[in-house]
Amino acid sequence: MEKVNILIIGAGSIGLSVAKVLSEEFEDIVVVEKEDSFGRHTSSRNSEVIHSGIYYPQNTLKAKLCVRGAELLYEYCKTNDLPFRNCGKLVVATDEDELPALDKLKENGERNEVKGLEMIDENECKSLEPQIKAIKALKVPSTGILDTYKFMQKLECDAEKNDAFICYEMEVNSIKKTENGYVVNFSNGEVFQANTIINCAGLFSDKMAEMVGIDIEKENLKIHWCKGEYYKTTKIKDVKHLIYPLPDPKGIFLGIHLTINLNGEVRFGPNAYYVNELNYSMDETYKKDFLLAVNKYVQIDEDKLQLDDCGIRPKLQEEGGEFRDFYIKEESEKGFPNFINTIGIESPGLTACLAIAEEVKKLLNR
Ligand SMILES: Cc1cc2nc3c(=O)[nH]c(=O)nc-3n(C[C@H](O)[C@H](O)[C@H](O)COP(=O)(O)OP(=O)(O)OC[C@H]3O[C@@H](n4cnc5c(N)ncnc54)[C@H](O)[C@@H]3O)c2cc1C
């Protein structure tokens, strides 16, 4: 049986950030990942946006870790010469009815200490983005984009430089608490003993908590999968900012927005609907919804939209349910000392990943 000090489950942006940050202080760290490479799930199937933190209720982990995480992420990209762009975004109101919600969003962002928020009128909006229709917009200068693949590759490299091991094709099958920590069984027959476990298993993070013995129904920690699809277009070019509509009033997602990647290519999405299976296949069922949503703020015809990609959100918020925050906790109170859960790490999880790692480190040092 292999003995390790800290076992991190999952090599997405969260597991790799945790490995990078913890390996600066702790020894004998192993990351185990069921796929054959890092970031094969949610961390590579997202909008690649560095969020500012305007949306989330004040004092929530989502608000605090997004603002702190964005700072850390920009700094990390700059220091390590990783591709990113601080392009800024415009949240656009397209009719009078939306103006109160736009004002509220600005107030919320200011409460969360997001810097530089500015309301701009129709003319200023036109001068910044001539192709975009809006009667008013909230300009958010701290928003940006990054290359998630290169970012995760660098995290992996940094963790390995600090002697952490990343082991692929290692699927956790069972976790048992013992007198000295935890015994973990893998589907390939390997067995590890770990003093500390950090659960960063994304879409399966509730299953890891359940494996150790936490009653996820009773503790309200069941993950609900919520799919989001993207369409791309080559018709629209030269957009400089990310363009967002007002967020979905039910709080499930941010609205079908326009993002650019580092090459300036435009795509729209994601939409949001709950699913029961982990299936990344796509069809055009929701194309009309996309057209309707997108044409509120930009002119585009149906034949200029092509299916692109999709991702699945690991949400604690169930369908029709209330806002849920990130769940990041050391589980001594539940009888599982040195077992740290990160559950429900949906958006802005990519932005927040380095701040989440700092939070995990604080929990270990308590
Ligand atoms: C459509 C969409 C758009 C988004 N856009 C943004 C955005 O623009 N900006 C932003 O900040 N956030 C965004 N997010 C959220 C962000 O992508 C996630 O919060 C983040 O990627 C979560 O990372 P993770 O490491 O927790 O999960 P993952 O990347 O899913 O990593 C978890 C890993 O655990 C592994 N694993 C699972 N079970 C086991 C097991 N039994 N044994 C071993 N390994 C296991 C998985 O294989 C996986 O690699 C978006 C999400 C979606 C779905």
Side-chain angles (χ1 to χ4, degrees):
M1 180 159 47
E2 193 83 32
K3 288 193 176 171
V4 303
N5 182 22
I6 299 175
L7 185 80
I8 299 168
I9 306 172
S13 55
I14 306 301
L16 292 173
S17 297
V18 169
K20 185 242 172 222
V21 169
L22 293 189
S23 63
E24 290 160 2
E25 183 175 331
F26 299 91
E27 294 198 337
D28 197 9
I29 297 176
V30 175
V31 182
V32 287
E33 165 57 55
K34 70 181 167 67
E35 306 294 345
D36 61 4
S37 181
F38 59 78
R40 283 291 159 90
H41 290 277
T42 314
S43 295
S44 60
R45 296 175 163 275
N46 57 54
S47 304
E48 301 195 294
V49 173
I50 305 175
H51 284 300
S52 63
I54 56 174
Y55 296 104
Y56 321 103
Q58 191 184 12
N59 292 328
T60 56
L61 286 176
K62 281 185 178 171
K64 287 190 277 192
L65 299 179
C66 182
V67 174
R68 171 77 181 142
E71 261 171 45
L72 293 169
L73 195 47
Y74 278 124
E75 193 52 44
Y76 189 69
C77 288
K78 276 182 213 157
T79 314
N80 294 292
D81 218 6
L82 293 170
F84 76 99
R85 193 182 313 148
N86 182 192
C87 53
K89 88 171 177 183
L90 303 179
V91 185
V92 295
T94 50
D95 72 54
E96 297 280 335
D97 293 353
E98 291 180 328
L99 295 178
L102 197 66
D103 287 334
K104 278 205 173 124
L105 194 58
K106 180 165 181 276
E107 284 163 23
N108 198 63
E110 284 165 348
R111 273 195 297 272
N112 290 345
E113 297 180 22
V114 178
K115 299 204 177 74
L117 297 177
E118 188 193 342
M119 227 32 122
I120 59 172
D121 64 16
E122 189 170 355
N123 288 338
E124 204 171 337
C125 205
K126 263 274 162 296
S127 74
L128 289 176
E129 293 294 352
Q131 302 169 80
I132 300 301
K133 302 181 259 181
I135 57 166
K136 204 171 177 185
L138 176 61
K139 191 173 165 202
V140 187
S142 56
T143 302
I145 48 176
L146 80 160
D147 180 329
T148 45
Y149 180 83
K150 290 202 169 127
F151 169 59
M152 287 190 279
Q153 195 178 37
K154 178 67 182 145
L155 289 174
E156 181 187 55
C157 176
D158 281 356
E160 285 177 335
K161 251 192 235 156
N162 295 334
D163 294 330
F165 281 94
I166 324 274
C167 304
Y168 292 108
E169 299 181 318
M170 293 280 285
E171 181 177 14
V172 174
N173 237 353
S174 74
I175 308 171
K176 227 185 206 97
K177 181 172 171 274
T178 64
E179 265 177 35
N180 313 319
Y182 298 90
V183 171
V184 180
N185 281 273
F186 294 86
S187 50
N188 61 6
E190 299 248 25
V191 184
F192 281 22
Q193 192 195 319
N195 300 328
T196 294
I197 292 185
I198 301 164
N199 169 14
C200 307
L203 294 163
F204 295 92
S205 51
D206 59 341
K207 295 286 167 293
M208 299 301 109
E210 195 168 40
M211 268 182 199
V212 79
I214 292 172
D215 185 339
I216 57 166
E217 296 286 349
K218 189 176 132 229
E219 301 290 345
N220 208 5
L221 290 175
K222 194 171 158 26
I223 289 285
H224 306 275
W225 292 347
C226 184
K227 192 163 177 174
E229 297 163 331
Y230 294 90
Y231 281 79
K232 62 183 172 184
T233 186
T234 50
K235 181 72 185 162
I236 299 172
K237 294 189 177 79
D238 300 324
V239 178
K240 309 268 180 309
H241 299 77
L242 310 183
I243 309 294
Y244 281 63
L246 265 307
D248 165 52
K250 291 185 220 121
I252 298 178
F253 74 125
L254 302 182
I256 295 177
H257 44 270
L258 177 159
T259 53
I260 43 173
N261 63 16
L262 290 161
N263 299 321
E265 291 154 348
V266 167
R267 62 178 194 157
F268 298 104
N271 60 349
Y273 58 96
Y274 284 84
V275 294
N276 292 320
E277 53 170 344
L278 187 65
N279 182 346
Y280 294 121
S281 66
M282 289 178 68
D283 59 36
E284 297 204 338
T285 306
Y286 298 101
K287 191 169 188 181
K288 289 267 186 282
D289 296 345
F290 266 80
L291 261 184
L292 209 64
V294 165
N295 270 291
K296 281 193 173 165
Y297 57 82
V298 72
Q299 166 63 41
I300 188 151
D301 296 330
E302 186 165 359
D303 62 338
K304 298 291 182 286
L305 283 181
Q306 287 117 38
L307 273 176
D308 186 25
D309 204 355
C310 66
I312 299 182
R313 305 166 178 90
K315 286 178 93 66
L316 281 167
Q317 181 182 7
E318 61 191 326
E319 193 161 11
E322 295 293 306
F323 168 87
R324 292 290 302 274
D325 204 358
F326 290 156
Y327 181 91
I328 303 170
K329 211 162 173 192
E330 196 274 339
E331 302 290 13
S332 286
E333 274 178 17
K334 296 190 184 68
F336 303 99
N338 301 319
F339 191 98
I340 296 177
N341 274 316
T342 72
I343 303 180
I345 312 298
E346 55 168 326
S347 190
L350 174 66
T351 307
C353 61
L354 291 166
I356 290 174
E358 278 187 345
E359 203 64 18
V360 168
K361 187 165 153 182
K362 275 188 225 155
L363 291 174
L364 271 186
N365 280 328
R366 265 201 324 204

